[in-house]
């Protein structure tokens, strides 16, 4: 079904739908009717975000943020640059940052530190995927869809060179396609 650039399907459409529903129910239960501001990190989390928002019951606002991580591989500082800030203040709000994947941990470590300075009432992180074996900065998400091995994945919003975000399943990229950094 896919070309040779895809090694295999890792997570099917059904598995994604089921897990996103579970995460939505868990979040709805935890916040128990309190208002939540869900922050989508562009661009990778968009598809997950759209599904997750609809799986949460209650009082929800949405906002968007874009950061670029200078990948811990390219600079030692691993610093994160803000490309697009939130549209609304988050002071006093229950914020959940929704991310596609926690890899080295760099992006979320810095993003969380930055958002904390704005004094939200609470700040949590929900990531669709987690690759704990790749961590360079200690970071733990509060809600995780799936924990995966150290393989480069694409689809359901995740890209390789901005391509393949539209695949409806999470697929492992063939190692021949990319050079590990
Ligand atoms: P970090 O290393 O935890 O800062 O992750 C930064 C970003 O790298 C993630 O938000 C993704 O956009 C991207 N990324 C990491 N691993 C993968 C992958 O396997 N597929 C696609 N994107 C990835
Ligand atoms: Mg990302």
């Amino acid at each position: 079904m896919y070309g040779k650039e895809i090694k295999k399907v890792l997570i099917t459409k059904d598995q994604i739908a089921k897990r996103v529903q579970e995460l939505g129910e868990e979040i709805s239960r935890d916040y128990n009717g309190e208002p939540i501001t869900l922050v989508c990190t562009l661009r990778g989390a968009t598809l997950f975000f759209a599904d997750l928002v609809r799986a949460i019951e209650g009082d929800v606002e949405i906002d968007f943020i874009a950061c670029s991580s200078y990948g811990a591989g390219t600079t030692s500082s691993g610093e994160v640059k803000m490309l697009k800030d939130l549209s609304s203040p988050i002071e006093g709000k229950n914020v959940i940052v929704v991310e596609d994947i926690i890899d080295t941990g760099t992006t979320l470590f810095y993003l969380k530190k930055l958002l904390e300075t704005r004094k939200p009432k609470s700040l949590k992180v929900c990531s669709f995927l987690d690759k704990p074996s790749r961590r360079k900065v200690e970071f733990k998400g509060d809600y995780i869809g799936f924990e995966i091995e150290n393989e480069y994945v694409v689809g359901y919003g995740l890209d390789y060179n901005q391509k393949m975000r539209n695949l409806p399943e999470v697929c492992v990229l063939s190692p021949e396609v990319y050079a590990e950094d």
Side-chain angles (χ1 to χ4, degrees):
M1 174 169 126
Y2 295 113
K4 62 173 171 23
E5 69 273 19
I6 298 300
K7 186 174 148 197
K8 63 174 179 195
V9 173
L10 188 66
I11 311 171
T12 65
K13 277 200 264 189
D14 286 353
Q15 289 172 312
I16 294 170
K18 181 168 175 280
R19 187 69 189 117
V20 172
Q21 198 55 41
E22 287 170 359
L23 285 172
E25 284 166 15
E26 198 182 333
I27 291 170
S28 310
R29 229 182 300 122
D30 288 355
Y31 287 81
N32 194 25
E34 281 218 34
I36 314 173
T37 300
L38 288 166
V39 171
C40 177
T41 59
L42 299 171
R43 289 170 257 183
T46 47
L47 306 200
F48 172 51
F49 187 78
D51 287 339
L52 182 68
V53 166
R54 286 174 286 179
I56 297 174
E57 283 178 25
D59 184 350
V60 166
E61 286 183 29
I62 65 171
D63 207 338
F64 298 84
I65 199 166
C67 298
S68 84
S69 152
Y70 291 119
T74 47
T75 69
S76 53
S77 71
E79 225 164 295
V80 169
K81 185 177 160 198
M82 172 94 71
L83 303 173
K84 184 224 168 283
D85 203 344
L86 296 171
S87 300
S88 305
I90 53 166
E91 186 172 347
K93 306 222 171 188
N94 293 307
V95 176
I96 305 178
V97 175
V98 180
E99 177 63 297
D100 54 355
I101 184 165
I102 311 174
D103 185 35
T104 64
T106 314
T107 309
L108 280 171
F109 178 82
Y110 281 97
L111 182 58
K112 204 172 169 192
K113 235 169 51 172
L114 172 82
L115 295 181
E116 254 154 15
T117 65
R118 300 182 186 179
K119 310 254 184 301
K121 181 177 177 190
S122 65
L123 180 57
K124 287 192 180 183
V125 168
C126 174
S127 182
F128 174 57
L129 300 175
D130 189 7
K131 267 192 221 175
S133 64
R134 288 260 306 167
R135 262 335 169 270
K136 290 185 179 157
V137 176
E138 203 180 310
F139 189 87
K140 207 173 167 316
D142 300 283
Y143 302 97
I144 299 296
F146 300 92
E147 210 175 280
I148 64 169
E149 300 293 317
N150 181 15
E151 288 179 305
Y152 197 88
V153 290
V154 292
Y156 195 59
L158 291 112
D159 73 304
Y160 177 66
N161 286 343
Q162 299 305 329
K163 306 281 187 198
M164 298 189 255
R165 293 192 196 272
N166 57 319
L167 305 183
E169 299 159 305
V170 176
C171 300
V172 176
L173 201 63
S174 298
E176 305 90 75
V177 179
Y178 72 104
E180 184 84 69
D181 62 342

